[in-house]
Amino acid sequence: MSQDGKVTHGESNNKQTKRRQWGTKIKSVFQTKQRDKSSSIKKDKMLRQTPEILPFIQMHDDHILLKNGVMDILQIQTKNIHALNDTDLNVLLMNRTRFLRSYFRSYKEIILNFPANTQAQRTYWLKKREQTTSPIRLEYIDQKLVEFDFLERERSNREFFIFVYADDKQELVDRKHDAIQGMQQAFPLTELTRTKKEQILFLLNNQNTKL
């Protein structure tokens, strides 16, 4: 075979190789676009379904309107059971058991981690700072304020809540009263502000997000 024939044959192979490479690239781009399109469709569907999954409709100061009925959130005041003696611990457990046996209506208890709140301590030390002119005292107070910043940024408190459910608002008032009375001798319940309730629902439905 002549040298010209070899060159022609080599050029033909190069052209075929380039065609295959271009075909592979076009196919890869097309598949990527198809995946992006399908993933965006799935995300859109998920976003449209979210309001249908969540049961909450509207937030009020004294209740939360649901698709089926109403509810409210109360905070459970915890106690350090490790600091109690055996007698006090048994009394606490009996009071708790009495509530569980007597309150047969629908409720739910949840546990959430909230950022540490040092607002009361911060207010106290800021007031002390305004009342002193001692450099040593001012340095000490500034150090305390830095510690409060660290606690709010890095530490969290574990808080306990109870969801009380009812068919209507009046029934909810009665059930909340029964729950508060039933838990009074064990772990007292306290009312929450609307802002706190919103934070609870936010954390409950966004568990990988911090406030």
Side-chain angles (χ1 to χ4, degrees):
M1 182 181 293
S2 64
Q3 187 174 0
D4 294 340
K6 291 181 180 179
V7 172
T8 303
H9 182 68
E11 291 177 351
S12 176
N13 289 337
N14 290 336
K15 289 181 180 180
Q16 292 178 359
T17 302
K18 289 182 179 180
R19 289 195 191 98
R20 286 196 296 268
Q21 290 176 349
W22 276 107
T24 303
K25 289 182 180 179
I26 293 173
K27 185 178 180 180
S28 176
V29 171
F30 179 78
Q31 290 176 347
T32 302
K33 289 183 178 180
Q34 287 293 105
R35 285 196 299 268
D36 294 341
K37 185 177 180 181
S38 61
S39 62
S40 63
I41 293 174
K42 291 180 180 178
K43 290 180 180 179
D44 291 339
K45 288 183 178 180
M46 184 177 296
L47 290 175
R48 285 197 297 268
Q49 290 176 356
T50 301
E52 299 176 2
I53 296 174
L54 296 178
F56 315 108
I57 296 179
Q58 191 173 15
M59 172 81 71
H60 298 273
D61 292 335
D62 57 348
H63 70 282
I64 301 172
L65 183 62
L66 305 176
K67 293 179 180 178
N68 295 309
V70 294
M71 64 167 283
D72 201 6
I73 307 174
L74 302 172
Q75 184 157 12
I76 303 174
Q77 300 298 317
T78 57
K79 296 180 180 179
N80 184 8
I81 60 175
H82 299 289
L84 300 176
N85 56 43
D86 292 340
T87 302
D88 292 338
L89 182 59
N90 288 332
V91 172
L92 183 66
L93 293 177
M94 285 190 295
N95 290 329
R96 171 65 173 170
T97 303
R98 185 182 299 113
F99 168 77
L100 296 176
R101 290 177 176 175
S102 61
Y103 193 87
F104 55 88
R105 300 172 181 86
S106 298
Y107 72 94
K108 180 187 296 182
E109 293 181 352
I110 64 168
I111 305 172
L112 293 173
N113 291 327
F114 275 81
N117 186 358
T118 62
Q119 186 60 41
Q121 296 89 333
R122 185 187 299 275
T123 301
Y124 171 81
W125 285 109
L126 286 174
K127 185 176 181 180
K128 289 293 184 181
R129 195 180 193 281
E130 295 175 354
Q131 298 173 352
T132 185
T133 57
S134 171
I136 298 177
R137 187 69 172 169
L138 289 173
E139 183 179 356
Y140 174 78
I141 294 175
D142 290 340
Q143 180 61 35
K144 296 292 290 185
L145 295 176
V146 171
E147 292 175 1
F148 295 150
D149 291 335
F150 174 80
L151 290 175
E152 290 184 347
R153 185 175 63 253
E154 301 295 337
R155 299 293 178 86
S156 61
N157 294 328
R158 180 158 293 182
E159 301 184 17
F160 298 75
F161 307 94
I162 181 172
F163 290 8
V164 181
Y165 299 92
D167 294 330
D168 53 58
K169 185 177 177 180
Q170 183 57 45
E171 186 179 33
L172 180 64
V173 173
D174 297 336
R175 293 190 177 184
K176 285 169 56 178
H177 179 267
D178 293 341
I180 292 173
Q181 291 297 320
M183 290 279 284
Q184 188 64 35
Q185 300 301 322
F187 301 98
L189 304 178
T190 57
E191 299 277 356
L192 294 174
T193 63
R194 179 172 178 173
T195 301
K196 184 72 171 183
K197 296 175 186 178
E198 291 175 351
Q199 292 175 348
I200 293 171
L201 295 180
F202 176 81
L203 287 179
L204 191 62
N205 294 282
N206 301 274
Q207 298 187 15
N208 293 326
T209 305
K210 294 183 179 181
L211 289 176

